[in-house]
Amino acid sequence: AYCFFSASWMVGSIVTTDMAQEFGVYTIPSSVNNAISAAKILGNFVAAWILLKLGPKRTVSLSCLLICAVVVGAFSTSFPAFIFTRFLLGFGGAILMICMTPYVVYCFEPKQQPIFIGLNNAGPNTGNLIALLSVTAVRGWLGSWRSVILFYGIFSVVFLVLWLFVGRGYPIAEKAKEETLSSTVYRYRDGLREPFLYKFLFTMTGRLVMYTVMLYLFPLHPNFTVDAQFISLMIALTGIPGTILGIVLAKKLKRQITLFRFSGVAQSILFFAMILTNSAVLATVCAILLGFVIFISTPSLFTLPARLPGATPQKVAVILTLYWTGAYILQMIIYAIVVHLANTVSWTVAMMFTALYSLTFLVGTFLLPDFDRPAKQPPAGTSPQDGTAP
């Protein structure tokens, strides 16, 4: 379901020019993607609350139903109406994203969690890849942008129906006596006091902005060294093997922080090289490697909330709710700035701004907790309990 949410988002971005011209808009409208980002801010913020109130299965059902609003968008008669359906699409996608990791925490042992968190995080990239590989043929077959959007939206309807029949829930919180309920429920205010939240947000926002720009804005670049849509395709395509290797490394590496820092350095070098070079071959090679190094660390990164002390499905849901809310607030603001620069200054300046902002990921890898750090041994001749001489 999340794959085809991402596919619908991507396809809507690709047909932006056709759609905007029909509605009399003749610049690149950042509102098409920012409607989804705004919805994700709201959806992420309320997702943990909805999960607690409705339970997991009903919450997923609601999110899948909202994603199906993309079908209504195909029949929009005005630009604001189309943007509203994009808002509902993003709202449903945000709720669905928050639901996935708590399912993993509940269903699988800690040693298995990197596998399934990695698979979940491959969902968006897989959806983008489906869209990029198929949209040209679908546009040639169906013609109008409305028919194209409807085609991809139908898959979301299918997955909604499947979930209603085969989806399962789980107890969102352990039952407790009324007088101890406050100590068993992890609330938003508890998450806001978690230092990890702010370190994780600072680290990931640069990568999120860069990935969003490269997948949803960059295909519209008119004068890049290589066909811009091909570059976006390469980044999405190589993200799949990158994720697979990342799942393996998440289980094998003794210290995951090393992988984060390698990914940060490689990502920065490749992105700057890709947007600055005049060589078509070098730009293509950089794009291929960029998708790989972005996703090689993603499975490990998103296991971190599940490795926090006292992690439960509810605590993980709250942490991810607050993280994605903050991340999409920043992403929406920065994305609007990048689009403005592309429209009013130049694409080169817009891409350089994106590259500079993406450096927060590299800096942030030195702020994240190292859960794999070997425990400090007490000095020789002392007691490990109190550090005093025996």
Side-chain angles (χ1 to χ4, degrees):
Y2 199 85
C3 281
F4 278 91
F5 157 73
S6 296
S8 290
W9 184 357
M10 170 63 75
V11 168
S13 299
I14 292 173
V15 302
T16 291
T17 303
D18 295 342
M19 177 273 303
Q21 288 179 354
E22 181 176 324
F23 290 128
V25 180
Y26 297 103
T27 58
I28 300 172
S30 62
S31 55
V32 173
N33 280 316
N34 276 348
I36 298 177
S37 297
K40 283 195 165 191
I41 293 169
L42 178 60
N44 285 318
F45 186 71
V46 301
W49 179 81
I50 294 174
L51 190 62
L52 187 62
K53 295 297 182 182
L54 298 184
K57 181 175 180 177
R58 290 180 180 177
T59 302
V60 173
S61 300
L62 173 64
S63 66
C64 290
L65 178 63
L66 291 169
I67 289 171
C68 291
V70 70
V71 172
V72 180
F75 301 97
S76 299
T77 56
S78 67
F79 187 63
F82 177 78
I83 294 300
F84 181 66
T85 64
R86 305 302 284 179
F87 179 88
L88 294 178
L89 169 70
F91 191 81
I95 297 173
L96 182 58
M97 177 172 58
I98 297 300
C99 290
M100 292 192 292
T101 300
Y103 262 102
V104 172
V105 173
Y106 178 78
C107 294
F108 301 102
E109 297 296 325
K111 289 184 178 180
Q112 297 175 305
Q113 289 175 8
I115 299 173
F116 295 98
I117 289 175
L119 289 173
N120 283 341
N121 280 281
N125 202 48
T126 304
N128 292 332
L129 185 61
I130 290 170
L132 288 167
L133 288 174
S134 62
V135 69
T136 301
V138 173
R139 289 177 83 176
W141 171 40
L142 297 176
S144 74
W145 66 268
R146 294 178 183 275
S147 298
V148 172
I149 286 178
L150 180 61
F151 174 81
Y152 289 92
I154 288 173
F155 288 94
S156 293
V157 176
V158 171
F159 282 107
L160 167 62
V161 173
L162 285 174
W163 176 259
L164 293 175
F165 282 99
V166 304
R168 297 182 181 181
Y170 61 84
I172 188 62
E174 295 181 2
K175 293 183 179 180
K177 294 181 180 180
E178 187 68 29
E179 62 269 18
T180 62
L181 182 61
S182 60
S183 63
T184 62
V185 176
Y186 192 85
R187 303 183 186 277
Y188 283 23
R189 60 174 176 265
D190 300 315
L192 289 171
R193 291 195 290 263
E194 182 67 60
F196 167 81
L197 171 66
Y198 304 99
K199 296 175 183 178
F200 197 56
L201 178 61
F202 176 81
T203 303
M204 298 298 289
T205 181
R207 172 176 283 186
L208 176 63
V209 167
M210 181 190 70
Y211 184 71
T212 303
V213 168
M214 291 306 300
L215 268 292
Y216 302 111
L217 177 64
F218 195 76
L220 305 178
H221 195 318
N223 300 309
F224 192 63
T225 307
V226 189
D227 178 73
Q229 191 166 322
F230 174 75
I231 291 293
S232 296
L233 173 61
M234 288 298 100
I235 292 175
L237 183 63
T238 55
I240 302 298
T243 301
I244 294 171
L245 180 58
I247 291 172
V248 175
L249 292 176
K251 294 174 66 65
K252 297 293 185 182
L253 288 178
K254 293 183 178 180
R255 296 187 66 186
Q256 294 181 355
I257 199 74
T258 305
L259 179 63
F260 302 161
R261 290 169 185 167
F262 164 78
S263 181
V265 171
Q267 168 189 300
S268 297
I269 293 173
L270 290 168
F271 190 53
F272 275 100
M274 185 185 73
I275 64 174
L276 292 175
T277 185
N278 291 320
S279 167
V281 174
L282 180 58
T284 302
V285 170
C286 287
I288 292 171
L289 295 175
L290 184 60
F292 193 84
V293 300
I294 286 175
F295 285 93
I296 197 174
S297 59
T298 298
S300 297
L301 282 163
F302 280 95
T303 63
L304 296 183
R307 299 180 69 186
L308 290 171
T312 63
Q314 187 182 8
K315 179 175 180 177
V316 172
V318 169
I319 292 294
L320 289 176
T321 283
L322 295 173
Y323 160 70
W324 284 112
T325 299
Y328 277 107
I329 289 174
L330 290 171
Q331 184 257 343
M332 185 174 68
I333 294 169
I334 302 302
Y335 185 84
I337 293 172
V338 174
V339 172
H340 177 74
L341 291 173
N343 280 326
T344 61
V345 184
S346 71
W347 279 87
T348 301
V349 171
M351 292 302 106
M352 279 299 298
F353 178 84
T354 304
L356 291 171
Y357 188 79
S358 72
L359 290 172
T360 64
F361 181 83
L362 176 57
V363 176
T365 59
F366 293 90
L367 304 176
L368 292 175
D370 184 0
F371 290 118
D372 303 312
R373 184 189 298 275
K376 291 184 178 180
Q377 298 296 323
T382 62
S383 168
Q385 284 76 24
D386 57 14
T388 59

